[in-house]
Every structure is written in structure tokens, then in C-alpha cells.
Amino acid sequence: MALQPPTLPQLTNNTITTAKISADGGIIVDIPSYGNLRINDTVRIFFNGSLVITYDIVNIGDLPHQFLIPGRYAVIGSNIMQYTATDRLGNTSPSDPASFTVVQSASVSGYVLNSQVIQNDANADGSDRNQIIYILSSMTGQQVSGQFITFAHYDSGGVGLSDPFVQTDAAGISSLFVTSSISERVLIVATLITDNTVTNSQVLNFVEAPISYSLSATPQVNNQPANGQATNLVVAKLVNSATQAGIGGRVLQVYVGGAATYPNTVTTNPFGEASIYISTINPGSMNVIISLQSDYNVQTNVDINFVPSYPITFPSYEVWVGEYVPVSTLFGPIYFQQGHVYEVSLSRTYNYIWDCGVNYAHIYSGAGTVCASGRPTDFLFLGDGFSYIKPLKTGSGADFYSRYAPYYNAANSGYTFVTVVDHGPTDSIFSIPAILGKQENLLLEHSDNAESPNSIGNVTPETACNPADDYPCHTRV
């Protein structure tokens, strides 16, 4: 059930003049008591839909109560006054509305102030302008010059006026320009300084301005290890290109050129910034492309880099082994970096390391059993057998040569899984057995005896052959 409507004692025939409002300092409203009034109730008074007064009940006798509403809330023509009562449980009851009319009074000084909106619906960008023309005339219609008009505005705080007051020209005309940075309707009240009963009200509208976006990106953290854990950080910033103010609440689309982990979208904070964290297991440079989801034409990109994180274990692969295996076949899928140390594991144990033979300085190549002469080895052997090697050039393992190759007899031939681990440059920090310090180790101290294995028992020299023979030099069981 609705509460009784408020009463307005200033009304005559449900009408009040602007002169009466000005003389009384506002509009008086009486709020009556109601049957279930309780302490801690809250009464709220609304004038033309706007909350103008909030009043908390402290004593049962607080109502009825009279309030004075500032006249600026009134408009010429129809107005509505209403109140609500809310109990401590949040239950709200509204009153019936009280409707009344405000009419423009005849001026004490005999002036009439009219206005005309020349420009409306300006962009709410703080620079686009609405315009109002004011015409001051006498009761007989004569223009009045040299009079000052002052202005008041009621808004959310984004309004700017071209002047706080203006003076009418010889034709009784003055002009006001109004800007706003907030999309809203703004009440402008003009008042003749010499007679505050001479007023005029206009409502201007400001619409959300179209934004010209500018998007940039900066690597804040870069060159992190490519270990899948460490992250590079790219900070994107979206601004209004006209004002350079950050724009929050916008969704940005993210794409990274390369296998990486990253968010597909991020949202800008109130400063227009968004953080993008990226990780990967693949070292190298990556291009980060960032776009405004609502307009892909707004886009930027930036390069980031990940450094290798050692050790790096390459995926295992299978190789068929029978007799010996040329290193170019054994390491075909691997791309070696000169100066790095590589650890090699073979699932099928080989019998010996065969030497192509010192007599002809032959090198094992990928051409089957051919010993290509006249070419130096591409590996330095650091460990036992092929366990640790150091390439002397950079390139694909399929193009590498070596004097040594693992030998499998017929009983032990078959497929072997090859696992290669890159421990990085020799000055990297990694844990490798102490044998790594023995460069030019026993493997290079092979025997020149063509009839028997050397003293360490893991290098068997090739049976000497004559390069003029009809068959190529090769290892022999």
C-alpha cells in the first residue's frame, strides 16, 4: 500500500512561481508520519526522479517534518515530488506522487530571458561543444544590452563552460559554449545577475565520443630461459590517440608466433594496460601480435627472446644398426652447435668403436661403408666411447664425419634408440662426469696395430687396405 503523498504548502491551485521559489529559498515539502514508523527507518525524497534528501529516523516524533528543496531541481512546467520509507530490513514503501507546476514569474526588473539551443548532442570528449544563445529583452520586446548573465550547471563533474558569466551585446544576445567529458544530460541554469528572478533553464545532451585507439607493447621482462617455467612479460597499453588517456575494460587478442604458452586474451586495467606472460621450451626469438578484439585494425607487435635452458633433451629416435654405424646416420636428426657438449645414450650396446685406420687417415661418412679420405674429424670425443662429444662445427648431424663409429656384430644388430642431451656451451653450468676434463682422451690414443685391438680394448683398427684396390676401404670383422 502506498504512503500518503507529500504536501507542498507554497502551492496555489497546484502551481508555484519562480519568484516564490526564489523568495523562499527553494521549494518547501512536508513529509507526513506513517502508521508503521520505526526508529532507524530511512526516508528518501525524490524530485523529478532525482534523490535530493536522505533522512534517518532517530525518534518516533521525527515525522511529520518539513524540508527545503533547492530551487535548482525545479523545471518550468510539470514537476513531481515523491518519497519512500525503508525499514531496517530493507523493505521499501513508496508514497503517492505529488504533481505540481512551476511557472515563470514576471520579472521584478521587467526583463525576460529566453534561450535557444544552437548545438546539441556533442561528443563527450572534453572538447566538442554544445551551444546556447540567450536573448534578454524588456516586457515590451526591446533588446537589453550590457547586462550580465551567470550560469550554474548540474552534472556528474565533467562539464566545462566557456565563461562563468557573459554580457549581452547591443542586440541583447550572449552565447555560452559547454563541453563535457562524461556522456550524460546536463542542466544549465542562466540567471540575470541584477535580478535573480530572471532565469532560464536548458538541458544539453552529451553522447559518448567515438574513440581513436592507439595500441603499443613493451617487453618488461625479456631473455628468460626456455624451460617452460620462466616467463617473459609484455605489457600492452591502449590509449585514446587524441588525449593519450588510458582506456580500461577493453579485451585484447594475443598471438605468439611460435610454440609457447600464453593467454589468448587479456583485459586492460583502468590505466589501459594489460600484462601478457609468455613461456616456452623453444629458445629463440618470437613475435607477439596484440590486437583490439573489437577492432583488429588496432594492432601492434613486438619481438621477445628466450635463451636456451640447459640441459636440453632432444626427442629419442630409432636408427638401424648393423656392422658399424656412420656418425652421419647415427646423428642425422640432430642439429649440432659448435662448442656445445652433447651426451649420447644408445639403447642397444655396441661391441666396439671402430677406427677407420690411421694409415689412410680415413673418415667415416654417411656413404655406407666408404671411408672418405682427406677430411678431418668433426667431433672431439670427451667421454667413454660416444657418451660425450663436442662438435667442431655447427650444422646437421647428417653432414658430420668422424674417424670412429660404433660397431655391432650380427648377433647384436637391430634398431637402437638414440637419445641426445645438449648441455650447452662448455662454459655453461652443468653436471657431467669428471671424465669430461680429459679432452684428447684414450679414444684418440688408438693403436696403429692393424692385427689386433689397441690396449684399451674399445677401439679396433681397420685392417689395412690399399687405396688402389678395386673395392673401397671399410671396416672388417
Side-chain angles (χ1 to χ4, degrees), residues 87-417:
D87 64 22
R88 58 189 178 86
L89 298 178
N91 300 310
T92 299
S93 300
S95 73
D96 287 328
S99 301
F100 61 97
T101 301
V102 175
V103 297
Q104 181 71 52
S105 302
S107 171
V108 174
S109 54
Y111 293 142
V112 175
L113 183 61
N114 293 310
S115 66
Q116 181 178 357
V117 176
I118 301 300
Q119 176 63 47
N120 205 358
D121 297 321
N123 292 323
D125 57 7
S127 60
D128 198 12
R129 303 189 301 178
N130 285 332
Q131 182 184 9
I132 307 175
I133 295 293
Y134 293 95
I135 306 99
L136 183 64
S137 59
S138 66
M139 292 296 186
T140 58
Q142 301 297 312
Q143 291 83 4
V144 179
S145 64
Q147 296 294 311
F148 286 94
I149 300 170
T150 187
F151 304 99
H153 55 91
Y154 304 95
D155 59 279
S156 299
V159 164
L161 303 181
S162 58
D163 293 287
F165 56 85
V166 295
Q167 187 178 26
T168 56
D169 61 14
I173 297 173
S174 58
S175 183
L176 176 70
F177 294 93
V178 185
T179 64
S180 178
S181 59
I182 300 174
S183 175
E184 62 178 340
R185 291 170 64 81
V186 176
L187 175 64
I188 304 293
V189 179
T191 303
L192 185 63
I193 289 181
T194 58
D195 183 356
N196 62 11
T197 65
V198 180
T199 63
N200 186 276
S201 298
Q202 286 286 1
V203 176
L204 298 177
N205 188 45
F206 290 89
V207 299
E208 184 172 356
I211 299 175
S212 175
Y213 295 101
S214 178
L215 182 61
S216 61
T218 305
Q220 296 287 353
V221 179
N222 203 2
N223 296 305
Q224 291 297 293
N227 57 13
Q229 303 287 331
T231 55
N232 282 338
L233 170 61
V234 173
V235 175
K237 186 164 187 179
L238 183 68
V239 301
N240 185 324
S241 58
T243 65
Q244 295 303 303
I247 302 171
R250 299 298 194 273
V251 178
L252 305 180
Q253 196 81 31
V254 182
Y255 172 77
V256 177
T261 300
Y262 58 93
N264 291 323
T265 60
V266 290
T267 303
T268 57
N269 65 19
F271 303 102
E273 297 176 341
S275 297
I276 304 166
Y277 293 91
I278 305 166
S279 64
T280 186
I281 59 172
N282 299 304
S285 178
M286 292 183 175
N287 187 243
V288 182
I289 302 173
I290 307 166
S291 307
L292 180 62
Q293 192 177 67
S294 60
D295 184 358
Y296 282 98
N297 291 318
V298 180
Q299 186 178 106
T300 189
N301 71 89
V302 65
D303 288 327
I304 58 174
N305 186 61
F306 287 91
V307 298
S309 177
Y310 300 107
I312 298 173
T313 301
F314 296 101
S316 297
Y317 53 92
E318 275 189 314
V319 173
W320 174 263
V321 294
E323 283 199 77
Y324 67 84
V325 185
V327 292
S328 52
T329 299
L330 191 65
F331 298 135
I334 302 300
Y335 190 87
F336 288 107
Q337 297 289 336
Q338 180 179 353
H340 287 210
V341 173
Y342 293 85
E343 181 180 359
V344 181
S345 299
L346 304 176
S347 64
R348 184 178 294 272
T349 304
Y350 50 79
N351 297 77
Y352 301 103
I353 299 293
W354 284 87
D355 177 9
C356 206
V358 298
N359 294 331
Y360 305 107
H362 295 164
I363 306 295
Y364 282 114
S365 72
T369 59
V370 174
C371 296
S373 62
R375 193 185 194 290
T377 182
D378 291 326
F379 286 107
L380 182 64
F381 292 87
L382 304 179
D384 205 5
F386 275 79
S387 56
Y388 291 96
I389 58 177
K390 183 177 180 181
L392 302 178
K393 69 176 184 179
T394 296
S396 170
D399 299 326
F400 276 67
Y401 294 82
S402 172
R403 289 191 56 161
Y404 308 106
Y407 166 76
Y408 291 84
N409 60 24
N412 201 27
S413 63
Y415 283 104
T416 183
F417 278 99

